[in-house]
Amino acid sequence: MSLKEITNMDLKYILVGGKGGVGKTSVASALGIALAELGKRVLIISTDPAHSVSDSFDMDFSSGEITKVKGVVGDLFALEINPSAAGEEISKAIGQPMDSDQFSQFSAIPGLGELQKGLGEDLKSIPPPGMDEALSFAKILEYAEDEVYDTVILDTAPTGHTLRLLNIPEFLDSFLGRMLKMKTFLSNAMTMMKSLFGGSQEKDRTVETLEAMKEKVLVARDKLMDEEKTQFIKVLIPTMMSVFETERLAEELDQHLISHRFTVVNQINPANDICSYCMNRHKEHLKNIEYIKSAFPDTIITEIEALDREIRGLDMLQVFKEKLL
Ligand SMILES: Nc1ncnc2c1ncn2[C@@H]1O[C@H](COP(=O)(O)OP(=O)(O)OP(=O)(O)O)[C@@H](O)[C@H]1O
Ligand SMILES: [Mg+2]
């Protein structure tokens, strides 16, 4: 069995993750090609500011727009999101949050102190920490909900960021919930002030926008937890450092109820009788692969050798794809 099994599933989201430099982008790109060749309409999304999907295909997808991947049989599209640009866009959509000076203008309003306490950290720094990932996640939702694509492949950033990404549905749910509370409170207060002092009564749409975002986040969370719709591919290399990190990742995925039935062990040193360094590495890798099999007994493990060239451009991605499937 190999990663070929994943092409037989009717998945909506495929997340590819693992330690830095193990081959996540190569796997995401090659799998994208494979699925497109099978007749699926596929979108690869990356939030890596280093534009690695562009580098992998040796093409330019950095425009921030969905771009068709040329030279691939079928419908493969790529999108590289710049997290800070996405952040600005969404901040604009939810309106300019209040800073504490603006807040103090309302200090006479009963209950405001409580509310401010409740909002706590969120108000001290807007956007709060983690907002980058949160906003790129929201951006991902926008495309993932789109029925235009059969499968959306997300090439994630190295493990630490992926773990933050997994916490985003909860984070956004609670953040948006608190923003909603604040917005509702303030718009009630504003209405009261306006009726006292006169002024225009135009309707503020922010509450509706926030509610819609919250709903979207909850729908996406359900999809992420549905193993028939979402699979997370763990990519690692056969070193114990990479194995330990992947074990922690697997634990976190389990906690978040995200199914990860596939494991790719990449960059295995091939045997080489005339190079003692290569042979030692090879033996060490084989030993570690045995450990990997025991650590992830219920997953489909695909083993891939270190190729003699970098995986860059369509020809090399085709070679890598054949090995992967
Ligand atoms: N099996 C392999 N044989 C040879 N080179 C490989 C193999 N797998 C990956 N590479 C090369 O290793 C480098 C890292 O691969 P890739 O960019 O796919 O990793 P990544 O996990 O996405 O990295 P990052 O954490 O920086 O996003 C690239 O230059 C890629 O071409
Ligand atoms: Mg990458």
Side-chain angles (χ1 to χ4, degrees):
M1 281 203 283
S2 73
L3 202 63
K4 193 167 176 51
E5 300 291 312
I6 211 169
T7 63
N8 298 326
M9 299 177 78
D10 206 11
L11 295 168
K12 181 79 191 169
Y13 299 90
I14 299 175
L15 282 67
V16 185
K19 199 169 156 61
V22 292
K24 300 178 290 296
T25 302
S26 305
V27 169
S29 304
L31 189 58
I33 294 175
L35 289 169
E37 286 175 346
L38 287 169
K40 303 248 188 223
R41 216 174 148 84
V42 185
L43 174 64
I44 301 177
I45 299 181
S46 152
T47 55
D48 185 350
H51 301 305
S52 52
V53 177
S54 292
D55 289 341
S56 177
F57 282 96
D58 198 14
M59 294 176 198
D60 186 5
F61 306 121
S62 63
S63 67
E65 304 287 330
I66 294 179
T67 310
K68 190 161 190 329
V69 182
K70 289 201 193 96
V72 172
V73 177
D75 292 325
L76 180 62
F77 299 82
L79 171 70
E80 289 183 328
I81 297 169
N82 178 345
S84 51
E88 275 166 32
E89 198 177 308
I90 291 165
S91 295
K92 239 186 269 163
I94 63 174
Q96 198 57 45
M98 297 247 169
D99 62 26
S100 44
D101 273 357
Q102 285 170 293
F103 240 117
S104 62
Q105 295 171 11
F106 297 96
S107 59
I109 300 173
L112 186 67
E114 272 310 296
L115 184 73
Q116 218 170 353
K117 233 190 283 160
L119 287 164
E121 293 306 307
D122 286 352
L123 261 195
K124 280 194 202 121
S125 65
I126 290 180
M131 203 58 182
D132 248 24
E133 281 107 337
L135 294 172
S136 40
F137 180 81
K139 195 79 183 155
I140 289 161
L141 297 186
E142 203 181 307
Y143 296 106
E145 278 302 296
D146 206 335
E147 290 303 319
V148 172
Y149 302 99
D150 299 310
T151 307
V152 176
I153 301 177
L154 178 62
D155 172 26
T156 75
T159 320
H161 287 267
T162 309
L163 299 184
R164 279 168 70 166
L165 187 90
L166 297 180
N167 285 315
I168 282 166
E170 270 71 36
F171 168 79
L172 268 185
D173 187 32
S174 98
F175 177 71
L176 291 173
R178 285 187 281 177
M179 289 279 285
L180 260 172
K181 220 163 122 191
M182 174 174 76
K183 274 287 178 185
T184 311
F185 180 88
L186 287 174
S187 65
N188 289 345
M190 284 302 277
T191 310
M192 187 185 87
M193 302 282 265
K194 279 175 186 161
S195 65
L196 282 177
F197 300 111
S200 69
Q201 292 290 331
E202 81 275 8
K203 196 155 166 40
D204 180 5
R205 297 251 163 242
T206 314
V207 170
E208 279 102 317
T209 310
L210 286 171
E211 264 163 4
M213 277 177 84
K214 209 164 152 331
E215 185 55 34
K216 256 181 147 177
V217 168
L218 295 179
V219 168
R221 186 174 57 184
D222 289 346
K223 278 200 185 153
L224 285 174
M225 288 175 179
D226 179 349
E227 60 177 355
E228 303 299 320
K229 292 208 170 84
T230 303
Q231 284 292 323
F232 190 108
I233 303 174
K234 309 181 293 299
V235 184
L236 75 162
I237 55 173
T239 65
M240 289 316 283
M241 295 262 278
S242 182
V243 175
F244 294 146
E245 192 162 320
T246 309
E247 286 183 306
R248 286 191 291 271
L249 173 64
E251 260 170 48
E252 294 263 352
L253 291 167
D254 289 339
Q255 276 167 24
H256 288 86
L257 306 177
I258 293 177
S259 177
H260 51 95
R261 272 186 243 158
F262 298 88
T263 307
V264 175
V265 187
N266 190 23
Q267 303 187 31
I268 304 166
N269 260 49
N272 183 338
D273 291 332
I274 53 167
C275 159
S276 63
Y277 163 84
C278 312
M279 210 55 197
N280 284 342
R281 293 296 285 182
H282 173 67
K283 285 183 188 154
E284 189 181 50
H285 284 181
L286 291 188
K287 201 175 96 215
N288 293 342
I289 290 169
E290 285 316 304
Y291 179 87
I292 292 167
K293 286 179 180 162
S294 68
F296 307 113
D298 304 324
T299 71
I300 294 172
I301 297 176
T302 306
E303 299 173 29
I304 304 195
E305 286 192 343
L307 306 180
D308 59 2
R309 268 163 302 157
E310 199 180 20
I311 301 154
R312 211 164 156 253
L314 283 179
D315 290 348
M316 273 313 280
L317 280 171
Q318 281 290 353
V319 173
F320 189 67
K321 183 203 84 183
E322 293 303 325
K323 298 199 176 287
L324 205 56
L325 303 185

